Amino acid sequence: MIKTSDEKYLRAIYHLSEDKNNKVSLSELAYYLDLKPPTVLERVHVLQSEKWITYKKTDGIHLTKTGEKEALNVVRKHRIWETFLHKICKFSWSEVHELAEQLQNVNSEKLIDRIYDLSGTPKFDPHGDPIPDKSGKLPVSERRPLLNSVDGCKCVVLGVNEDSNEFLNYLTDLKIGLNEKLIVEKVFVFDGSMKIKYRNNESVILSPKVAEKIQVTCIKPNCPCKN
Amino acid sequence: MIKTSDEKYLRAIYHLSEDKNNKVSLSELAYYLDLKPPTVLERVHVLQSEKWITYKKTDGIHLTKTGEKEALNVVRKHRIWETFLHKICKFSWSEVHELAEQLQNVNSEKLIDRIYDLSGTPKFDPHGDPIPDKSGKLPVSERRPLLNSVDGCKCVVLGVNEDSNEFLNYLTDLKIGLNEKLIVEKVFVFDGSMKIKYRNNESVILSPKVAEKIQVTCIKPNCPCKN
DNA sequence: TACTAAAATTAGGTATGCCTAACAATTAAT
DNA sequence: ATTAATTGTTAGGCATACCTAATTTTAGTA
């Protein structure tokens, strides 16, 4: 059985190796976890001795098969809590993450199952990220960055690529949330910023930096947007 | 602000001083928390220095005003989680306690509020114990031990006086649960045991020891049962 | 290649939360 | 009132999860 205190390590390693396919360094991990390298090194040795990860200075940190499965299970718990908090408890998008962090430590598969059912057995969490099933399989979606839209595209927000409070609060202010329908009125070619229409004909101009981080999927079939 | 790790102490002290009105000894507390006296002594010193409790060898442990308020808040959190787990997540009566123990550590008043609303703003938890309001006030109920019933009394189960798994499982086996309606067919005077009719005319004989620990309230007005 | 910057490691330290064993004080029982 | 049992206290230790400072290793660059 895995220790609660190991779970955040596995989740962190999972996320880091997802992004930068595979090579996770000690200091990266330390930075991500907001801990100092010696602390992390110590734990990494333990995790290695427990066969959750492999680690060689030159090669970085990798999840083993077992480790990845365990990590996916933690990810599952985390995302189910996030979904529950957002959909059922009506927490805003930006409040959800920190709370889920705490709740994910609660140790009861049965509870997760119930919470999952209560939330309507979703395939994606409120950020639009896929929820692994119990065996660790991830559902696939058609998500792509809003940035890749063409003029006139009608799409729906599936999630975001960044978790910082600054970003999430910005979206909350604009009232761009999960499942929000957006119409791309115009893409300005010179810098890629775009005018978006949404809600009751409100509109806003989003910078390419923002548009890159909003994940959407087209509503109309055969929409010509790039993936 | 109180530390999570202190909360279980305050809740324990609250429960112990509730039962035995007031004098809580070190070893009692240690036993209750399943810790050794030196461990508890250490923490008691800290809690005292933080003004949550007073402690003198001769006088035992007492909650201060602030301590009691904090304890009631922990009790509130705990009972709200228990209610949620039972009513909404369909956990059995006996599973609820341990999980609530873990969940009560999650630090978000807002979450408690939401969970409370989801559970239907109950005044009593699934054991029938009162849920303090935010200011620490306890609702009152007419609960009394089943043992005090007279022949023919029709009553409803509000809760129990004991938390041991043995006891809770026993009740679960009998299918005597919260809100179960019971008819007291006959009280046997020689030892106080009683024949109970419930559900679809099932009946069972309960020992006085058990009947003492089941908390009920009469359904018919002006029922002559003792309180 | 030699040098420097970055990353990893080692050594040693702190706080927390628990423990056992030994001793002291209090309470209860003969 | 003395003894025995219970309760409380002290001292010292262990594991965990962090830290800083100093050193070594690796990797990138002039």
Side-chain angles (χ1 to χ4, degrees):
Chain A
M1 238 295 132
I2 193 164
K3 281 171 285 174
T4 298
S5 50
D6 288 342
E7 296 194 339
K8 70 173 177 189
Y9 276 80
L10 294 191
R11 204 170 71 90
I13 295 163
Y14 177 82
H15 284 312
L16 289 171
S17 47
E18 216 187 11
D19 292 354
K20 346 191 4 189
N21 57 267
N22 269 340
K23 195 152 188 175
V24 178
S25 71
L26 238 206
S27 43
E28 258 179 317
L29 180 56
Y31 181 79
Y32 185 89
L33 290 170
D34 198 18
L35 297 171
K36 304 296 169 189
T39 304
V40 172
L41 179 60
E42 221 172 66
R43 298 297 241 85
V44 156
H45 286 323
V46 175
L47 288 170
Q48 189 174 26
S49 80
E50 291 168 350
K51 305 274 169 64
W52 303 111
I53 60 172
T54 60
Y55 173 58
K56 265 183 290 181
K57 181 182 350 198
T58 48
D59 200 30
I61 302 161
H62 298 265
L63 292 168
T64 61
K65 268 271 158 55
T66 344
E68 191 183 356
K69 207 170 161 199
E70 201 55 51
L72 279 161
N73 192 42
V74 183
V75 166
R76 176 180 158 81
K77 287 198 288 180
H78 184 87
R79 290 185 179 164
I80 287 175
W81 275 116
E82 285 198 335
T83 309
F84 172 76
L85 290 169
H86 183 72
K87 269 176 88 166
I88 308 298
C89 297
K90 307 297 178 197
F91 277 88
S92 83
W93 214 357
S94 55
E95 291 168 302
V96 143
H97 183 77
E98 193 200 332
L99 257 176
E101 199 81 18
Q102 292 182 56
L103 287 162
Q104 127 205 324
N105 293 329
V106 174
N107 199 0
S108 163
E109 185 166 340
K110 203 163 163 186
L111 178 59
I112 293 294
D113 290 346
R114 301 295 165 85
I115 292 297
Y116 185 64
D117 289 346
L118 281 175
S119 309
T121 63
K123 290 230 170 8
F124 299 90
D125 80 6
H127 300 90
D129 294 316
I131 298 174
D133 71 15
K134 283 192 186 186
S135 70
K137 226 178 295 163
L138 288 161
V140 283
S141 80
E142 303 280 292
R143 54 195 324 220
R144 60 171 181 80
L146 176 61
L147 187 66
N148 294 358
S149 304
V150 298
D151 281 17
C153 168
K154 211 170 157 183
C155 53
V156 58
V157 176
L158 287 183
V160 295
N161 267 349
E162 190 183 312
D163 261 2
S164 76
N165 277 343
E166 290 77 23
F167 183 61
L168 295 176
N169 287 330
Y170 173 62
L171 294 185
T172 304
D173 280 356
L174 289 179
K175 304 204 204 292
I176 294 181
L178 187 62
N179 291 323
E180 194 66 59
K181 285 181 195 67
L182 309 178
I183 299 166
V184 179
E185 206 157 61
K186 179 112 195 73
V187 179
F188 300 106
V189 192
F190 78 100
D191 73 340
S193 65
M194 44 180 64
K195 188 167 179 199
I196 299 295
K197 227 158 116 182
Y198 66 123
R199 298 170 65 84
N200 276 315
N201 269 3
E202 288 171 56
S203 68
V204 70
I205 298 206
L206 297 179
S207 74
K209 197 169 164 189
V210 169
E212 189 205 334
K213 288 175 178 162
I214 299 178
Q215 296 283 313
V216 299
T217 194
C218 299
I219 290 172
K220 292 182 294 181
N222 302 110
C223 190
C225 300
K226 283 163 282 171
N227 249 309
Chain B
M1 239 295 132
I2 192 164
K3 281 170 287 174
T4 298
S5 50
D6 288 341
E7 294 194 339
K8 71 173 175 189
Y9 275 80
L10 295 192
R11 204 170 72 90
I13 295 163
Y14 177 82
H15 285 312
L16 289 171
S17 47
E18 217 187 10
D19 293 353
K20 346 192 4 192
N21 57 267
N22 269 339
K23 195 148 189 179
V24 178
S25 70
L26 237 206
S27 42
E28 256 179 319
L29 181 56
Y31 181 77
Y32 186 90
L33 290 169
D34 198 18
L35 297 171
K36 302 297 167 188
T39 305
V40 172
L41 179 61
E42 220 172 69
R43 301 293 243 87
V44 156
H45 285 323
V46 175
L47 288 169
Q48 189 173 28
S49 81
E50 290 168 351
K51 303 275 168 63
W52 302 111
I53 61 171
T54 59
Y55 173 58
K56 265 182 291 180
K57 180 185 346 201
T58 47
D59 202 28
I61 302 161
H62 298 266
L63 292 167
T64 62
K65 267 272 158 55
T66 345
E68 192 183 355
K69 208 171 161 197
E70 201 56 50
L72 280 161
N73 192 41
V74 183
V75 168
R76 177 180 158 79
K77 288 198 286 180
H78 184 87
R79 290 184 178 165
I80 287 174
W81 276 116
E82 286 198 333
T83 309
F84 172 76
L85 290 170
H86 183 72
K87 270 176 88 164
I88 307 299
C89 298
K90 307 297 178 198
F91 277 89
S92 83
W93 214 357
S94 54
E95 290 170 302
V96 142
H97 182 77
E98 192 201 334
L99 256 176
E101 199 82 17
Q102 291 181 56
L103 286 162
Q104 123 205 325
N105 293 329
V106 174
N107 200 1
S108 164
E109 185 166 342
K110 204 164 164 185
L111 178 58
I112 293 294
D113 290 347
R114 300 296 163 85
I115 292 297
Y116 185 63
D117 290 346
L118 281 176
S119 310
T121 63
K123 290 231 170 6
F124 299 90
D125 78 8
H127 301 89
D129 293 316
I131 299 174
D133 70 16
K134 283 192 186 186
S135 70
K137 225 178 295 162
L138 289 161
V140 282
S141 80
E142 304 278 295
R143 56 196 322 222
R144 60 171 181 81
L146 175 61
L147 186 67
N148 293 358
S149 303
V150 298
D151 282 18
C153 170
K154 212 172 156 181
C155 55
V156 58
V157 176
L158 287 183
V160 295
N161 266 351
E162 191 184 312
D163 261 1
S164 75
N165 277 344
E166 290 77 23
F167 184 59
L168 294 176
N169 287 331
Y170 174 61
L171 294 185
T172 305
D173 280 356
L174 289 178
K175 303 203 203 291
I176 295 181
L178 190 61
N179 290 322
E180 195 66 58
K181 283 182 196 66
L182 309 178
I183 299 168
V184 179
E185 207 158 60
K186 180 109 195 76
V187 179
F188 300 106
V189 191
F190 78 101
D191 74 339
S193 65
M194 43 181 65
K195 188 168 180 200
I196 299 295
K197 226 157 116 184
Y198 67 122
R199 297 169 66 85
N200 275 314
N201 267 3
E202 289 172 55
S203 68
V204 70
I205 297 206
L206 297 178
S207 74
K209 197 169 165 187
V210 169
E212 189 204 334
K213 287 175 178 163
I214 299 178
Q215 295 284 312
V216 299
T217 194
C218 299
I219 290 173
K220 294 182 293 182
N222 302 110
C223 189
C225 299
K226 284 163 281 170
N227 248 311

